[in-house]
């Protein structure tokens, strides 16, 4: 019998994932990175940072760079200048599951010894090509508090869409409201049997609002979700004006007015 040994290498990638707007790993993802670095003899080639789309292009470019540099600092190599560091920001094909966009990819070469044992009469076979793989992370499927509230709610429960705000006397969202809408979209997209009613409320003015801002704001949320791909028949909406305040009218301060000026969803089906 003859033992024939040769060496091959594969171009591979490893990915770690980040919480929204963060460039420091969670403890779970840090553990994933530690396990990868401990168990692999590799040559690092490139570190690339990615972001989801929920900010300006310039902000996401810098966040992607911060993520990449944070991971670069943790690689066990002396001359880090040999590693290419790149930020993609949001400039790539975005995945509908936004957590998959918030990542850093480490590209590396892994050297693998190949050993085959054959008889003298056998012909040594060509080694089979090695597959390229990405190690999947342990990621919370519903990372935000809003998503957890929605997924744990029962039929008939109402959930406040905190931080969903509009410009004064309009149905135009503040930019910081977009993450709330995306969180809601993600839950509905992952749970195709879920149906909701979008409920709008305003503050300050008893009785009927002739401009119907509570209804118009519901419709703005509805249109965002429809434009994102949620079926129309899974959602209804209703504006209550100021008829269902949390605090009695007239409110005593801005905090009470803000609490009354809200959008909620009610779970219709799960």
């Amino acid at each position: 019998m003859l033992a024939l040994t040769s060496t091959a290498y594969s171009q591979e990638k490893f990915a770690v994932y980040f919480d929204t707007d963060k460039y420091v790993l969670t403890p779970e993802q840090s553990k994933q990175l530690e396990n990868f670095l401990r168990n692999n003899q590799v040559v690092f080639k490139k570190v690339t940072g990615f972001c989801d789309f929920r900010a300006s292009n310039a902000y996401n470019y810098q966040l992607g760079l911060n993520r990449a540099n944070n991971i670069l600092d943790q690689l066990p190599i002396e001359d880090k200048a040999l590693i290419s560091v790149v930020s993609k920001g949001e400039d790539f094909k975005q995945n509908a599951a936004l957590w998959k966009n918030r990542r850093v990819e480490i590209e590396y070469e892994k050297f693998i010894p190949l050993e085959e044992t054959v008889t003298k009469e056998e012909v040594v076979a060509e080694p089979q090509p090695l597959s390229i793989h990405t190690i999947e992370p342990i990621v919370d499927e519903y990372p935000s508090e809003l998503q957890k509230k929605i997924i744990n709610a029962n039929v008939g429960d109402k959930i406040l869409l905190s931080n969903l705000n509009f410009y004064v006397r309009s149905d135009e969202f503040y930019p910081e409201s977009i993450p709330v809408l995306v969180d809601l979209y993600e839950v509905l997209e992952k749970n195709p049997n879920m149906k909701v009613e979008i409920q709008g409320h305003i503050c300050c003015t008893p009785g009927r609002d002739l401009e119907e801002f509570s209804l118009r704001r519901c419709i703005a949320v509805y249109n965002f979700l429809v434009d994102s791909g949620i079926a129309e028949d899974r959602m209804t909406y209703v504006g209550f004006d100021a008829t269902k305040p949390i605090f009695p009218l007239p409110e005593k301060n801005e905090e009470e007015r803000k609490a009354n000026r809200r959008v909620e969803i009610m779970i219709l089906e799960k």
Side-chain angles (χ1 to χ4, degrees):
M1 304 288 286
L2 296 176
L4 304 178
T5 302
S6 62
T7 302
Y9 69 91
S10 61
Q11 300 281 347
E12 304 196 9
K13 293 180 182 180
F14 172 81
V16 285
Y17 296 78
F18 294 79
D19 284 345
T20 300
D21 207 33
K22 304 295 184 183
Y23 61 87
V24 176
L25 293 173
T26 63
E28 293 81 5
Q29 287 297 291
S30 290
K31 190 67 174 179
Q32 291 272 357
L33 180 60
E34 289 172 11
N35 290 339
F36 165 72
L37 296 176
R38 182 170 58 247
N39 296 327
N40 287 279
Q41 297 295 320
V42 301
V43 176
F44 299 106
K45 294 295 184 180
K46 186 177 181 180
V47 180
T48 307
F50 301 81
C51 301
D52 64 40
F53 64 86
R54 297 182 293 178
S56 70
N57 220 315
Y59 180 89
N60 283 333
Y61 174 83
Q62 186 60 53
L63 180 58
L65 192 61
N66 290 344
R67 287 171 173 169
N69 281 321
N70 177 276
I71 299 304
L72 176 68
D73 288 343
Q74 299 181 60
L75 299 184
I77 53 176
E78 292 184 6
D79 192 357
K80 292 183 168 58
L82 297 175
I83 309 302
S84 175
V85 178
V86 176
S87 174
K88 287 286 190 178
E90 63 182 81
D91 189 20
F92 62 99
K93 185 176 180 180
Q94 295 269 321
N95 194 299
L98 294 189
W99 65 264
K100 293 184 177 181
N101 302 319
R102 300 189 295 267
R103 69 186 191 273
V104 163
E105 290 182 353
I106 303 170
E107 297 180 37
Y108 61 94
E109 290 181 350
K110 184 173 183 179
F111 293 87
I112 303 174
L114 302 177
E115 182 174 296
E116 297 178 353
T117 303
V118 298
T119 65
K120 290 182 179 180
E121 292 78 15
E122 289 178 323
V123 176
V124 178
E126 289 290 329
Q128 295 299 309
L130 300 172
S131 62
I132 297 176
H133 67 280
T134 300
I135 300 174
E136 289 295 327
I138 299 172
V139 177
D140 188 348
E141 188 178 7
Y142 300 104
S144 77
E145 288 303 313
L146 174 60
Q147 290 179 333
K148 289 180 174 65
K149 288 179 181 179
I150 296 172
I151 203 64
N152 291 325
N154 297 314
V155 172
D157 286 351
K158 294 180 183 179
I159 300 96
L160 173 66
L161 301 182
S162 299
N163 300 318
L164 180 64
N165 297 312
F166 299 81
Y167 288 102
V168 175
R169 302 301 291 174
S170 86
D171 55 0
E172 295 292 326
F173 301 112
Y174 277 116
E176 56 265 32
S177 298
I178 300 303
V180 180
L181 296 166
V182 173
D183 283 346
L184 176 56
Y185 157 76
E186 286 184 349
V187 175
L188 292 173
E189 193 271 335
K190 293 175 184 177
N191 297 271
N193 293 325
M194 183 179 290
K195 294 184 178 181
V196 299
E197 181 174 81
I198 305 163
Q199 301 182 349
H201 307 266
I202 61 172
C203 69
C204 312
T205 307
R208 186 175 173 224
D209 175 21
L210 296 179
E211 294 181 273
E212 296 188 320
F213 280 112
S214 66
L215 178 63
R216 288 163 59 181
R217 289 170 176 174
C218 290
I219 294 173
V221 174
Y222 172 89
N223 286 338
F224 177 94
L225 295 170
V226 170
D227 291 343
S228 298
I230 303 301
E232 296 179 8
D233 61 3
R234 296 178 58 195
M235 300 174 290
T236 60
Y237 50 81
V238 58
F240 288 106
D241 297 330
T243 62
K244 295 180 179 291
I246 296 174
F247 293 99
L249 303 180
E251 298 90 348
K252 297 178 182 178
N253 51 51
E254 178 56 28
E255 287 302 310
E256 291 188 356
R257 286 189 288 272
K258 185 177 179 180
N260 284 344
R261 189 171 58 237
R262 67 197 189 277
V263 174
E264 300 169 317
I265 61 166
M266 183 170 71
I267 307 299
L268 301 178
E269 294 182 26
K270 290 194 73 174

